[in-house]
Amino acid sequence: MVEVTVTPQSSLADRPVQIRVRGLSPSQLVTLRAWLKDEQGERFQSRAFFRADGAGEVDPGLHAALGGSYSGVWPMGLLWFLQPDTLFRRLVKRDVAGSPFRVRLEVFQGLSLGVEPKERLLASCEAERWYAGPGVQRVPVREGRVRGALFLPP
């Protein structure tokens, strides 16, 4: 049985996570896809092609992506290379303290090139990426022409 995991499942957006796929056949070719929807409902996604190692595992921190949104060894590549489905959109988090981005990770059989994969889904999981830790207080700043926010730790 194929399984994809993100460790830790819930983390701050600037913290590294480990993505692993287990249960594949040795040397099996797969596509890992990450996607999320922003607060306006716009989808951002990335994908990378991998060949499983002899144990039937894929770890983007150890194994080089063969292509897709990036190539080479990038432990966080699936999160760093998220691109919008609609041109000229930017990934912006407005409600930084109230809710996380929920990133969906999926593993597909073979090479999946389209926006909507037609290949067989082997496994999926979800990770939360928070922009403020628990207890962080957001204080709006308005002084003259200066606008911003001050984030105070607990």
Side-chain angles (χ1 to χ4, degrees):
M1 182 170 130
V2 178
E3 176 186 38
V4 60
T5 58
V6 178
T7 309
Q9 185 270 331
S10 183
S11 64
L12 291 172
D14 64 346
R15 300 282 191 241
V17 295
Q18 182 181 37
I19 299 168
R20 293 192 74 180
V21 181
R22 293 185 178 107
L24 299 167
S25 300
S27 299
Q28 183 176 354
L29 192 60
V30 294
T31 299
L32 268 64
R33 179 174 82 144
W35 65 272
L36 62 83
K37 286 194 177 182
D38 70 4
E39 294 157 330
Q40 284 74 43
E42 184 68 37
R43 186 171 62 178
F44 291 76
Q45 63 178 317
S46 65
R47 72 187 72 242
F49 313 129
F50 291 93
R51 186 171 299 281
D53 64 11
E57 297 185 359
V58 169
D59 181 343
L62 299 174
H63 305 118
L66 306 173
S69 300
Y70 67 96
S71 61
V73 178
W74 291 78
M76 299 285 292
L78 288 167
L79 302 176
W80 290 342
F81 290 97
L82 289 166
Q83 294 295 316
D85 284 356
T86 306
L87 293 176
F88 308 114
R89 300 285 187 170
R90 288 187 11 208
L91 184 58
V92 176
K93 182 72 171 140
R94 302 244 185 254
D95 180 18
V96 294
S99 65
F101 273 139
R102 296 186 193 286
V103 182
R104 186 92 177 148
L105 288 139
E106 299 171 330
V107 182
F108 293 94
Q109 171 67 39
L111 299 179
S112 174
L113 300 172
V115 174
E116 292 296 333
K118 295 174 179 51
E119 288 70 26
R120 185 168 63 102
L121 178 66
L122 300 175
S124 65
C125 73
E126 191 172 273
E128 293 181 346
R129 303 291 283 171
W130 290 87
Y131 282 76
V136 172
Q137 181 183 2
R138 182 182 189 275
V139 179
V141 175
R142 296 183 194 280
E143 185 67 35
R145 293 180 12 205
V146 175
R147 300 287 182 268
L150 173 64
F151 291 88
L152 299 171

